[in-house]
Amino acid sequence: MALNFENFNANNLVSGSEATAIMTYRAQVEDLVYVKSLTATVEKQKEEIKLLRRRGKQHKSNGFTGSGSMTIYAVTSIFKEMMAEYALTGRDFNFNLTIINNDPTAGIGSQETILIDCNIDSMDIAKIDVDADNLEEDVEFTFADFLLPKSYN
């Protein structure tokens, strides 16, 4: 169903908490139920092209960069263990993230995004916060590619 003025209404909006995040790492699958928020962004890379008889510069796309961030509740050590292994051995690690947005009340179906070869850039390795009701940690990462195997209707 293509959304337009006649059939779009508040019931089509997807609830942000109606989602699943799954990490695949070393052939193991982990349900990331402790993710509070996750954002993945793709930024196109472009080169400037000068052409004869044109004063303005043209732009040609030549790739993209994928980056993301997630805030997690501090109830797991899996990401810290990955970073500790890298710090101790120098062996880097990649993992895939599958994000499924599926609000059954929205009526537009679900969307599945797979982030391929995610690699952590930075993260909280230890944290204390006396004002926090729930301790949270931030994880910044990049990814090499992505798939959109399922789109909203």
Side-chain angles (χ1 to χ4, degrees), residues 73-111:
Y73 292 110
V75 296
T76 183
S77 297
I78 191 164
F79 299 108
K80 292 176 185 170
E81 291 166 354
M82 290 178 187
M83 290 297 280
E85 181 178 338
Y86 172 71
L88 292 172
T89 67
R91 285 191 303 267
D92 208 355
F93 53 88
N94 289 335
F95 54 90
N96 292 348
L97 288 175
T98 301
I99 297 95
I100 302 169
N101 299 97
N102 185 19
D103 182 350
T105 66
I108 61 169
S110 64
Q111 176 176 272

Side-chain angles (χ1 to χ4, degrees), residues 2-13:
L3 295 176
N4 56 46
F5 183 76
E6 285 77 29
N7 67 10
F8 182 73
N9 59 55
N11 291 332
N12 297 122
L13 300 178

Side-chain angles (χ1 to χ4, degrees), residues 9-83:
N9 59 55
N11 291 332
N12 297 122
L13 300 178
V14 177
S15 170
S17 64
E18 295 290 344
T20 302
I22 300 166
M23 178 176 65
T24 305
Y25 174 64
R26 292 186 176 161
Q28 294 190 21
V29 176
E30 170 133 355
D31 189 350
L32 303 182
V33 295
Y34 40 80
V35 169
K36 179 180 176 187
S37 65
L38 186 149
T39 301
T41 304
V42 174
E43 182 177 342
K44 285 173 57 176
Q45 296 170 341
K46 298 179 182 184
E47 62 179 308
E48 290 185 352
I49 308 290
K50 293 181 181 181
L51 298 175
L52 290 175
R53 291 180 255 187
R54 297 214 181 187
R55 288 173 186 78
K57 293 179 182 173
Q58 304 290 304
H59 295 88
K60 181 179 180 180
S61 299
N62 62 5
F64 72 89
T65 301
S67 62
S69 64
M70 62 180 155
T71 300
I72 62 173
Y73 292 110
V75 296
T76 183
S77 297
I78 191 164
F79 299 108
K80 292 176 185 170
E81 291 166 354
M82 290 178 187
M83 290 297 280

